Amino acid sequence: MSCAICHERKEKRFCPAVHDKICPICCGTEREVTLDCPGECPYLQQARKNENMNHLRELDRDALMPDVEVPDSFMYEREALLGGMSVAIAQAGRRDRQIYDRDVIAALTAMAKTYETQVKSGLIYEQPTTSAAQHAIAAEISKMLQEMRKVEEQHRGYSTIKDSDVLKALVFSLRLALGKTSGRPKSRAFLDFLFANFPEKAAAGAPEGSRIIVP
């Protein structure tokens, strides 16, 4: 039988994205480009290991926002903040299957640049999100920050979460996303990473701390 995509080459593997058998070449070229590949696909999991390394080699260093210093101690000092941010991103990704890593990266970049301007100059200049998906992610993160600050104010009388802390958390999450994604248009490697570390039932309640694994 022939491949369900190209109809030319011989099919050799089952593709859960098209619910049919396809050839290895179509699998390699269309994976996370035209196909919405489920994270449990073994061929996708294997490919991501190599594609992630290629993506990192080609990555523009400026995308990592190197001017923002995030010390190693920050992950432990602000564990709840980082965990809450990861849960917020995961929730947005679960609600909309059309949200991809690139949307998360764009939203985190826009928010980080907004906070960077605010921290450095005191000016509030909000970087615009360019799609509904990016707006949904940014809104989920903003909602989480508002709720965390409100809880702290109720218990302490004030919030300990500074704008500089939010900036570091955003940049940390951005770097983690860039380190996990395959770089393909429909990659959800970073989102799948969050789904695995922050299961839906656990995400329904307040996070008990971060489950983030530094790459």
Side-chain angles (χ1 to χ4, degrees), residues 32 39 44-52 182 188-189 192:
E32 293 188 316
L44 174 65
Q45 293 173 4
Q46 182 59 40
R48 277 176 173 172
K49 297 177 183 179
N50 299 324
E51 291 174 344
N52 175 255
S182 70
R188 283 169 65 91
D192 285 341

Side-chain angles (χ1 to χ4, degrees), residues 44-170:
L44 174 65
Q45 293 173 4
Q46 182 59 40
R48 277 176 173 172
K49 297 177 183 179
N50 299 324
E51 291 174 344
N52 175 255
M53 293 304 297
N54 293 333
H55 171 67
L56 289 175
R57 280 194 290 266
E58 297 170 359
L59 185 66
D60 182 354
R61 190 171 180 272
D62 288 341
L64 297 167
M65 298 187 68
D67 292 340
V68 179
E69 183 180 357
V70 184
D72 293 340
S73 59
F74 182 78
M75 190 177 74
Y76 306 101
E77 294 168 355
R78 287 299 183 183
E79 191 176 13
L81 175 60
L82 289 169
M85 193 164 292
S86 294
V87 168
I89 296 169
Q91 286 178 334
R94 285 191 176 98
R95 288 197 184 103
D96 187 354
R97 179 67 195 175
Q98 298 304 307
I99 287 180
Y100 303 107
D101 290 347
R102 61 180 178 178
D103 300 310
V104 177
I105 290 167
L108 288 171
T109 299
M111 292 189 74
K113 287 183 177 179
T114 295
Y115 273 89
E116 184 180 29
T117 300
Q118 191 167 330
V119 169
K120 288 183 176 180
S121 66
L123 298 175
I124 300 176
Y125 177 74
E126 188 172 348
Q127 293 283 337
T129 50
T130 58
S131 71
Q134 294 170 26
H135 180 75
I137 296 162
E140 199 67 47
I141 292 174
S142 296
K143 177 183 175 183
M144 177 277 299
L145 290 171
Q146 185 178 20
E147 291 175 348
M148 286 193 72
R149 281 173 164 153
K150 183 177 180 181
V151 169
E152 279 198 338
E153 288 169 358
Q154 289 174 342
H155 286 80
R156 297 171 178 262
Y158 62 94
S159 174
T160 65
I161 301 174
K162 302 176 182 178
D163 287 343
S164 58
D165 294 325
V166 177
L167 171 60
K168 291 175 185 176
L170 288 165

